[in-house]
């Protein structure tokens, strides 16, 4: 009696054991005379409709130098297999089964712009087979696709990477490939720390290649990316701007410090290091990135400032044999540019210069010393010393005093001329300091404006 109850339970429509037996019987009946090598069509002249849908799960890496995008995708393919249909009432109401994908015929949909060395496809996951013959195959895939990278506005750039899927052997007369939606699915996308995904539109293309006369349809997903520039702003751009603002300060250093040229060379070496860091991550193309152009312009400016510093130091260290300042240079540099740059000596002011008074007093000193012997001579005469009987040998004494006074006058003139050349160098230092400060500010605003 117990055996009869168990047998009746197995044959009952609602029994789980019966479901397993019918599923096994269904699998055996479907694949007894089935071949996965042939396209499952009753009419071999008609095209098989295949729909494709891609879900972007994660952007693993974007290699700008090699122009390769590594992404994690979920690829869903659906088609109708006319040889795998059954009456679900004959198999205890079984409407769908899940079987290994290797059991059924699969379209050879691959990524056309694959850049992987192994050229691997999707994972061997199971397919969902329904009673009406519809097959749905969901498979995850890690793809490496070639992506043309434009780094003209790095690090404020955006990229458009194409993912082109199509059949490799079946033409459009055999497989009619369509995209299920007008865009890729981004609902399960994991946010990337470097790239922001703006969209993933899908388009269907029918292309006739040079090798074949038949058309080949494909579905192309355009991945719209925008770089998150915060990392590069704080690690590449801001240090460069701060270092470049040090270059004009070399004009502010005193010429006697001996560090003017050293500062310019140090800034140039620092910019060279930043330039090498950018060049290592960029592809070797003709398009120079925006930050690279900024580095080159700043390095050119620092080189020019170092050359001008050497020229100005040569003017500052003019020796006693220097020529007098030309009248045009005295008028342009010592008068107009000195007032413009607010360069003055000790005791002077930009609003009330006292240079003329100081020069007048300094010019009167040697004259007084030079005239002191004649005054002494007059005093000697007034003292009643007889001219013929004077024991002072006044002729030799006057010649010596005149020689000393002449040497002192020449020394003061040389000092005055040397001081004027030093002031010329100081005025030029201040003038070029403001000019280069404005240049650095203009270049910084220009690069930010182009990035915007």
């Amino acid at each position: 009696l117990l055996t009869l109850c168990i047998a009746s339970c197995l044959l009952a429509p609602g029994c789980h054991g019966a479901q397993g037996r019918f599923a096994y019987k269904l699998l055996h009946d479907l694949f007894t005379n089935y071949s996965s090598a042939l396209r499952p069509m009753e009419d071999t002249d008609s095209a098989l409709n295949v729909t494709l849908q891609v879900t972007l799960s994660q952007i693993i890496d974007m290699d700008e130098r090699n122009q390769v995008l590594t992404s994690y995708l979920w690829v869903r393919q659906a088609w109708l297999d006319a040889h795998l249909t059954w009456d679900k009432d004959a198999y205890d109401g079984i409407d769908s089964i899940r079987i290994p994908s290797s059991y059924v015929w699969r379209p050879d949909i691959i990524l056309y712009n694959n850049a992987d060395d192994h050229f691997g496809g999707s994972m061997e996951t199971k397919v969902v087979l329904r009673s009406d013959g519809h097959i749905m195959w969901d498979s995850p895939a890690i793809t490496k696709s070639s992506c043309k990278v434009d780094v003209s506005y790095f690090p404020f750039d955006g990229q458009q990477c194409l993912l082109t899927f199509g059949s490799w052997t079946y033409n459009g007369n055999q497989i009619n490939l369509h995209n299920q939606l007008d865009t890729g699915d981004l609902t399960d996308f994991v946010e990337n720390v470097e790239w922001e995904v703006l969209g993933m539109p899908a388009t269907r293309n029918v292309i006739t290649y040079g090798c074949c006369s038949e058309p080949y349809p494909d579905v192309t997903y355009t991945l719209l990316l925008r770089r998150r520039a915060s990392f590069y702003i704080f690690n590449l751009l801001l240090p460069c701007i701060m270092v470049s603002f040090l270059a004009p300060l070399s004009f502010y250093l005193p010429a006697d410090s001996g560090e003017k040229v050293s500062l310019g060379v140090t800034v140039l070496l620092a910019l060279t290091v930043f330039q090498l860091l950018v060049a290592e991550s960029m592809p070797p193309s003709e398009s120079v990135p925006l930050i690279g152009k900024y580095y080159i312009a700043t390095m050119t400016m620092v080189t020019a400032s170092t050359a001008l510093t050497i020229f100005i130091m040569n003017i500052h260290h003019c020796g006693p044999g220097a020529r007098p300042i030309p009248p045009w240079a005295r008028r342009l540099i010592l008068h107009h540019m000195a007032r413009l740059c607010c360069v003055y000596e000790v005791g002077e002011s930009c609003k009330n210069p006292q240079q003329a008074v100081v020069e007048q007093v300094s010019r009167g000193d040697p004259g007084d010393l030079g005239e002191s012997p004649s005054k002494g001579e007059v005093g000697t005469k007034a003292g009643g010393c007889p001219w013929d009987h004077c024991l002072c040998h006044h002729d030799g004494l006057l010649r010596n005093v005149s020689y000393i006074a002449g040497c002192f006058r020449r020394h003061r003139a040389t000092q005055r001329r040397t001081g004027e050349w030093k002031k010329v160098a100081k005025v030029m230092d201040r003038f070029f300091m403001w000019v280069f400060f404005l240049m650095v500010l203009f270049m910084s605003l220009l690069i930010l404006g182009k990035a915007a």
Side-chain angles (χ1 to χ4, degrees), residues 32 98 239 319:
T32 299
R98 287 161 175 81

Side-chain angles (χ1 to χ4, degrees), residues 117-409:
D117 298 336
H118 304 288
F119 210 87
S122 303
M123 293 181 61
E124 294 294 332
T125 56
K126 292 187 176 183
V127 299
V128 179
L129 176 60
R130 305 186 65 87
S131 60
D132 55 358
H134 282 90
I135 298 178
M136 186 173 61
W137 182 26
D138 289 335
S139 60
I142 297 178
T143 62
K144 290 185 178 182
S145 58
S146 59
C147 177
K148 185 178 180 181
V149 179
D150 184 12
V151 293
S152 300
Y153 291 93
F154 175 84
F156 306 99
D157 58 331
Q159 306 297 334
Q160 295 184 4
C161 295
L162 303 181
L163 298 171
T164 303
F165 294 89
S167 175
W168 189 254
T169 57
Y170 294 103
N171 55 48
N173 300 324
Q174 297 170 333
I175 287 183
N176 190 13
L177 182 63
H178 290 274
N179 49 305
Q180 184 176 356
L181 299 176
D182 294 334
T183 179
D185 190 4
L186 300 175
T187 55
D188 297 318
F189 177 69
V190 179
E191 293 293 333
N192 189 268
V193 295
E194 184 179 1
W195 296 96
E196 178 184 359
V197 178
L198 303 180
M200 194 178 177
T203 56
R204 181 180 182 270
N205 307 305
V206 179
I207 302 176
T208 301
Y209 296 96
C211 64
C212 312
S213 59
E214 298 85 2
Y216 282 82
D218 64 69
V219 176
T220 300
Y221 291 89
T222 304
L223 187 58
L224 305 178
L225 302 175
R226 183 172 61 189
R227 192 188 301 271
R228 304 180 190 270
S230 301
F231 173 81
Y232 299 97
I233 289 176
F234 286 100
N235 291 277
L236 290 180
L237 188 58
L238 285 183
C240 177
I241 293 177
M242 291 187 290
V243 169
S244 60
F245 270 101
L246 290 177
L249 291 179
S250 63
F251 293 106
Y252 193 75
L253 279 176
D256 297 329
S257 64
E259 298 294 334
K260 295 171 70 69
V261 178
S262 300
L263 178 61
V265 173
T266 304
V267 172
L268 187 61
L269 290 176
L271 292 175
T272 304
V273 172
F274 284 114
Q275 175 69 19
L276 291 176
L277 290 177
V278 174
E280 286 180 356
S281 58
M282 294 296 102
S285 61
E286 294 182 357
S287 59
V288 181
L290 185 63
I291 191 172
K293 294 179 181 178
Y294 179 72
Y295 285 162
I296 293 298
T298 307
M299 291 168 65
T300 304
M301 185 199 68
V302 173
T303 304
S305 66
T306 305
L308 286 174
T309 300
I310 296 173
F311 174 73
I312 293 173
M313 288 183 64
N314 191 19
I315 294 177
H316 176 82
H317 292 285
C318 284
R323 296 179 180 179
I325 299 178
W328 65 268
R330 184 186 302 275
R331 183 170 56 256
L332 176 64
I333 299 177
L334 295 182
H335 292 170
H336 301 290
M337 290 179 59
R339 292 181 181 180
L340 179 64
C341 300
C342 197
V343 178
Y344 54 91
E345 301 294 341
V346 179
E348 296 179 357
S349 174
C350 288
K351 298 181 180 180
N352 186 21
Q354 301 292 333
Q355 183 178 3
V357 179
V358 174
E359 289 183 356
Q360 183 177 1
V361 174
S362 63
R363 290 173 184 173
D365 292 342
D368 295 340
L369 291 174
E371 293 174 357
S372 58
S374 60
K375 291 179 181 180
E377 180 183 359
V378 174
T380 304
K381 291 181 179 180
C385 179
W387 185 272
D388 297 334
H389 300 82
C390 183
L391 301 178
C392 297
H393 303 286
H394 57 279
D395 292 335
L397 183 60
L398 290 177
R399 286 194 301 270
N400 293 334
V401 172
S402 300
Y403 175 76
I404 295 174
C407 292
F408 188 76
R409 291 192 192 95

Side-chain angles (χ1 to χ4, degrees), residues 14-93:
C15 185
H16 294 287
Q19 284 279 351
R21 284 181 174 270
F22 280 114
Y24 180 81
K25 183 176 183 300
L26 173 62
L27 183 64
H28 180 269
D29 294 342
L30 287 176
F31 292 96
T32 299
N33 296 319
Y34 179 83
S35 175
S36 61
L38 299 177
R39 189 167 57 98
M41 292 292 296
E42 295 291 346
D43 185 5
T44 58
D45 294 333
S46 61
L48 176 64
N49 293 321
V50 178
T51 60
L52 178 69
Q53 178 61 28
V54 172
T55 299
L56 179 63
S57 177
Q58 185 180 0
I59 295 177
I60 300 177
D61 181 42
M62 167 65 88
D63 189 356
E64 291 93 348
R65 188 169 184 83
N66 296 318
Q67 302 190 40
V68 174
L69 171 67
T70 304
S71 55
Y72 179 42
L73 306 177
W74 298 345
V75 182
R76 169 174 291 183
Q77 304 176 45
W79 65 93
L80 177 63
D81 195 324
H83 299 154
L84 295 178
T85 59
W86 69 90
D87 184 9
K88 58 182 179 181
D89 295 332
Y91 293 92
D92 197 20

